[in-house]
Amino acid sequence: QKEVEQNSGPLSVPEGAIASLNCTYSDRGSQSFFWYRQYSGKSPELIMSIYSNGDKEDGRFTAQLNKASQYVSLLIRDSQPSDSATYLCAVHSNSGYALNFGKGTSLLVTP
Amino acid sequence: GAVVSQHPSWVICKSGTSVKIECRSLDFQATTMFWYRQFPKQSLMLMATSNEGSKATYEQGVEKDKFLINHASLTLSTLTVTSAHPEDSSFYICSARPPGQTFPYSGNTIYFGEGSWLTVV
């Protein structure tokens, strides 16, 4: 069973702070890693994708990947109340097309 | 606009009846579509891979006779929940990817439908 693990939270941070979201995966053959944001009752929307070890920055978001530790994280700088949502980590292995999702971390940014 | 469209967005049905959910790719031909199910506060769980012109591939634990998938055209896959029961109440989401891409696939080209809320009463 290929696992993607996330702390379900909720993670509460004050507005303007950095939110740090973590994810581990079990399949060493995984090649692509994604962070999705999902608002309640809505479909997930892509925030970041990362394929190589290291950091990838896009605006207020930074994804970090460490394949040796099988760990991927998402940092959200200058967190805003509108960032409050569930963040899903998804992993794509080399053995199929479908994404394997974690349970998601609920983030609450308080004004 | 939406690249992958689902219909209906929400549906309520009586226990024991069947309900059909449609997933359409609007801008591309999708030989493969994926059906996920999400219970409250849970992850998206892959139910099945829908292949155009052939039988769907179901994940372990998903009853193929209960969740009928038909991918009769390159732009339409349907999921029919037969003899629905309250425990089937969930959020059903489809996804699709345009053909002709190489692995690793870009996240920007994995399109999700808007999702369909099913409530069985």
Side-chain angles (χ1 to χ4, degrees):
Chain A
Q1 181 76 17
K2 298 170 184 175
E3 303 279 346
V4 179
E5 301 286 346
Q6 292 181 256
N7 188 323
S8 61
L11 173 65
S12 182
V13 300
E15 183 175 358
I18 296 175
S20 178
L21 306 165
N22 304 313
C23 171
T24 59
Y25 59 95
S26 64
D27 185 3
R28 285 195 171 274
S30 301
Q31 298 286 322
S32 309
F33 308 87
F34 308 97
W35 283 100
Y36 285 84
R37 178 173 60 197
Q38 186 179 30
Y39 294 109
S40 180
K42 300 295 184 181
S43 194
E45 56 179 314
L46 182 68
I47 298 297
M48 291 282 290
S49 57
I50 187 167
Y51 311 102
S52 303
N53 281 329
D55 295 357
K56 179 181 178 182
E57 186 175 320
D58 184 0
R60 296 187 296 113
F61 300 96
T62 298
Q64 299 173 317
L65 174 63
N66 184 325
K67 289 187 177 180
S69 300
Q70 296 175 243
Y71 174 91
V72 59
S73 65
L74 179 70
L75 299 177
I76 306 175
R77 290 181 298 281
D78 189 25
S79 296
Q80 301 297 309
S82 58
D83 294 327
S84 298
T86 296
Y87 288 80
L88 301 171
C89 174
V91 174
H92 204 181
S93 74
N94 59 4
S95 60
Y97 290 96
L99 294 176
N100 191 11
F101 285 89
K103 288 187 176 181
T105 298
S106 176
L107 173 66
L108 177 64
V109 181
T110 55
Chain B
V3 180
V4 173
S5 178
Q6 270 185 253
H7 178 82
S9 299
W10 57 271
V11 57
I12 301 173
C13 71
K14 291 184 177 180
S15 184
T17 63
S18 296
V19 61
K20 180 185 290 187
I21 300 170
E22 295 184 345
C23 179
R24 293 181 183 273
S25 57
L26 303 180
D27 296 336
F28 60 92
Q29 295 181 328
T31 55
T32 303
M33 292 184 176
F34 306 98
W35 286 97
Y36 293 86
R37 177 171 57 184
Q38 186 179 34
F39 292 108
K41 298 189 183 300
Q42 297 296 314
S43 182
L44 278 74
M45 296 299 297
L46 180 67
M47 298 177 66
T49 301
S50 172
N51 303 298
E52 188 270 335
S54 65
K55 291 182 179 180
T57 303
Y58 290 83
E59 295 299 300
Q60 189 174 8
V62 178
E63 299 175 60
K64 62 180 181 180
D65 295 330
K66 180 174 180 62
F67 298 99
L68 301 179
I69 292 173
N70 186 296
H71 196 154
S73 79
L74 286 170
T75 58
L76 174 64
S77 175
T78 61
L79 169 67
T80 301
V81 183
T82 63
S83 186
H85 291 285
E87 57 265 31
D88 298 322
S89 299
S90 186
F91 189 48
Y92 293 85
I93 308 175
C94 70
S95 76
R97 177 186 299 108
Q101 298 170 39
T102 57
F103 191 85
Y105 308 111
S106 166
N108 290 327
T109 59
I110 302 172
Y111 300 107
F112 284 88
E114 305 96 326
S116 299
W117 279 102
L118 169 63
T119 301
V120 184
V121 297

